[in-house]
Amino acid sequence: MGNLLQAESYKLWRNKSFWGIMTFSLFLGSVMTLDNNLPASAVQSFDAALYNTPLLYILIIIFSALFIGGDFDERTIHAYISAGHKRSSILLAKAISYFGACILILMAPILFDTIVGWAIFGEISKSSVATLLVKGLVVMLAVCAMGGLSFLAAFVFKDLGQTLAVPLVIYFLMIFALNSEGFQGVAVFLPIGQIRLLSLNRLPTSYQFIVLIDIFWIALCYIGAYLSFFHWDLK
């Protein structure tokens, strides 16, 4: 397991697509923040950057296709299994590196804009810092729950093309549904909807409740990926 984690971490940090996608996320997130009403504090900078995060979700869909789907196409996963590694260990190592990358890709613009807001508007009160830290942790969990869909797709379809196409279709359906009046009530049950509600400070329930929902989505996607991967015939 340790060797797998080391290999996955090394591959991630050497992955040009990861650095390219994270740089593009940072650039695009900052540009979209400037396109809206300009914030007047570091807290507003955080919320403004968070508001754009659902639109950047498409970047981790692309990343999952390259990072996990590409491993199936290049037979890297096959090599792990042939080398004697347990499938459960392969899945866990892949999950740790993948979800860590998702957090970095989507949290980078939020962190950058918050720091810029602090530099421009001055100090933040201790209560505001505590609020941002708690909200940031909740957002990180929601980001992992968002990434769970692509993680599941990668281990179900086991190729780059379908790992990219299927989550993209579901993503656009979710965006369309959340913009419809009749589906506003279900936004809190979807990680992408939770992030939008958090950015607007309109969350109709407690942080504890959405944390439980996000843990449910992550567990569901992980279990689904495990079952699909466990029963996969190596060819």
Side-chain angles (χ1 to χ4, degrees):
M1 180 62 189
N3 291 334
L4 280 172
L5 274 175
Q6 186 177 5
E8 285 298 311
S9 299
Y10 178 79
K11 187 170 64 174
L12 177 64
W13 291 110
R14 299 275 294 181
N15 192 313
K16 293 181 180 179
S17 63
F18 164 68
W19 291 107
I21 290 172
M22 189 167 70
T23 301
F24 185 69
S25 173
L26 185 60
F27 170 76
L28 187 60
S30 300
V31 169
M32 288 193 295
T33 298
L34 294 174
D35 190 49
N36 298 319
N37 294 327
L38 294 178
S41 68
V43 174
Q44 289 184 15
S45 297
F46 179 96
D47 289 336
L50 185 60
Y51 183 84
N52 297 317
T53 301
L55 300 177
L56 299 177
Y57 177 34
I58 195 171
L59 297 179
I60 61 174
I61 294 176
I62 296 171
F63 173 73
S64 68
L66 296 173
F67 187 65
I68 306 178
D71 272 3
F72 280 104
D73 284 353
E74 295 169 5
R75 302 186 68 83
T76 303
I77 303 293
H78 301 67
Y80 283 159
I81 297 173
S82 299
H85 293 291
K86 294 181 180 179
R87 298 192 183 204
S88 58
S89 298
I90 296 171
L91 185 71
L92 182 58
K94 206 69 183 173
I96 292 172
S97 57
Y98 167 72
F99 287 119
C102 289
I103 290 172
L104 291 173
I105 289 170
L106 293 189
M107 294 298 291
I110 299 173
L111 181 60
F112 176 77
D113 286 357
T114 305
I115 292 174
V116 170
W118 170 75
I120 293 174
F121 302 110
E123 295 185 3
I124 314 175
S125 66
K126 291 183 179 180
S127 61
S128 295
V129 171
T131 299
L132 289 182
L133 287 174
V134 172
K135 189 184 252 188
L137 290 173
V138 173
V139 170
M140 286 172 60
L141 191 62
V143 165
C144 290
M146 287 167 61
L149 173 63
S150 295
F151 183 79
L152 172 61
F155 282 93
V156 168
F157 299 113
K158 302 174 185 66
D159 73 81
L160 191 153
Q162 292 184 83
T163 300
L164 177 63
V166 174
L168 278 177
V169 171
I170 297 174
Y171 165 73
F172 287 116
L173 289 174
M174 285 192 297
I175 291 294
F176 176 77
L178 291 173
N179 287 330
S180 303
E181 290 186 9
F183 286 87
Q184 293 298 313
V186 303
V188 71
F189 295 100
L190 299 174
I192 192 172
Q194 294 169 3
I195 288 180
R196 181 55 58 85
L197 291 171
L198 282 166
S199 70
L200 298 172
N201 294 305
R202 296 178 184 172
L203 195 66
T205 185
S206 66
Y207 283 172
Q208 291 88 339
F209 182 71
I210 64 171
V211 163
L212 289 175
I213 293 175
D214 291 338
I215 291 174
F216 167 78
W217 283 118
I218 293 169
L220 182 66
C221 292
Y222 188 88
I223 292 170
Y226 175 81
L227 292 175
S228 177
F229 189 43
F230 183 78
H231 294 291
W232 174 50
D233 291 328
L234 187 64
K235 297 178 182 179

